Amino acid sequence: MRRLLLAAAVLLAADAQAQTRQRPAAVDTPLVAAPRDARSVAWAAALQPVRVASAATTTNVSIRLYTHDGEVDESARASFEEIVAGDAQPHPLAPRLVQLVFKAAYHFANARVVVVSGWRDRAGRHTTGEALDFKLEGVHAAQLAAWLRGLSRVGVGVYTHPCTQSVHLDLRDTIYHWIDGSPPGVTWRERQLRDPGQVKRDALWSPEADLP
């Protein structure tokens, strides 16, 4: 009897071992978070650095404003503020203003940004970090201004005097555009440009509209 019981126990143990060998081992698979927005990652990864220069200094660097996950790189934005300041103390610029300058550069085939004027004391939106005068290398000022006028909630001024030829961009709640043929340092030929679609464009604005 003992021999029969022992034989049965051996058979059961062998069967259990066989089932264990057939069962796949458990795999500890780590959880991978899904990207915040796959489309955002795609457009950000495709962006190239933009060259940025100061008209007042010899500074000329390449800046990649966005990280690969579509966020603004704060160190890159700080570098841009340093270039805008030239030899002076850097002043904070509104993040949206910086985004729109880069959006323009990307639109015109990664054209180099040439900063003409950033922060200025007692100069309206320049003093609050919400305005910038700049050029894009190889792009006529009138062409750049025409494209910027398609944005929402901005002010766009184009300086057409032969000694200026730059564009002013600022942030505001209501679109306002103008043209100025005055010589440098004075303002006496400014003329407002009408925009029949401004109310609709302002109402449709969203943060995503500022992305490249």
Side-chain angles (χ1 to χ4, degrees):
M1 181 58 116
R2 288 182 179 178
R3 291 181 179 179
L4 290 175
L5 291 174
L6 180 60
V10 170
L11 289 174
L12 288 173
D15 185 60
Q17 290 178 359
Q19 290 182 11
T20 301
R21 286 195 298 268
Q22 294 173 3
R23 187 184 305 123
V27 178
D28 186 13
T29 305
L31 295 177
V32 179
R36 182 169 54 92
D37 186 334
R39 290 172 300 176
S40 294
V41 173
W43 67 255
L47 294 177
Q48 297 297 317
V50 172
R51 290 181 299 150
V52 181
S54 169
T57 68
T58 58
T59 306
N60 189 341
V61 300
S62 292
I63 296 178
R64 184 184 181 88
L65 184 63
Y66 294 94
T67 62
H68 286 283
D69 61 358
E71 298 289 343
V72 172
D73 187 326
E74 291 303 317
S75 63
R77 189 164 68 87
S79 296
F80 182 76
E81 291 176 350
E82 291 178 1
I83 296 174
V84 171
D87 294 328
Q89 177 69 27
H91 289 269
L93 296 174
R96 182 178 178 235
L97 177 66
V98 180
Q99 286 185 276
L100 293 181
V101 172
F102 275 75
K103 182 181 177 77
Y106 288 128
H107 175 78
F108 288 100
N110 278 40
R112 185 174 73 149
V113 176
V114 180
V115 177
V116 176
S117 179
W119 186 90
R120 298 202 302 269
D121 189 26
R122 291 174 294 193
R125 288 180 170 83
H126 280 279
T127 307
T128 61
E130 297 174 294
L132 190 74
D133 297 344
F134 71 106
K135 305 176 182 180
L136 291 183
E137 188 174 67
V139 181
H140 196 278
Q143 184 182 8
L144 171 58
W147 184 82
L148 291 171
R149 286 195 289 267
L151 301 176
S152 303
R153 300 188 184 184
V154 296
V156 179
V158 55
Y159 300 102
T160 59
H161 191 276
C163 295
T164 52
Q165 293 292 309
S166 62
V167 174
H168 167 102
L169 175 66
D170 67 48
L171 307 180
R172 56 181 72 201
D173 293 332
T174 304
I175 286 173
Y176 184 87
H177 302 146
W178 71 96
I179 186 170
D180 192 340
S182 308
V186 297
T187 301
W188 51 274
R189 289 183 179 176
E190 184 176 306
R191 177 171 58 88
Q192 182 181 0
L193 299 176
R194 302 295 179 182
D195 186 345
Q198 69 181 67
V199 174
K200 182 178 180 180
R201 282 210 316 285
D202 284 340
L204 293 175
W205 176 84
S206 69
E208 288 74 20
D210 298 333
L211 297 175

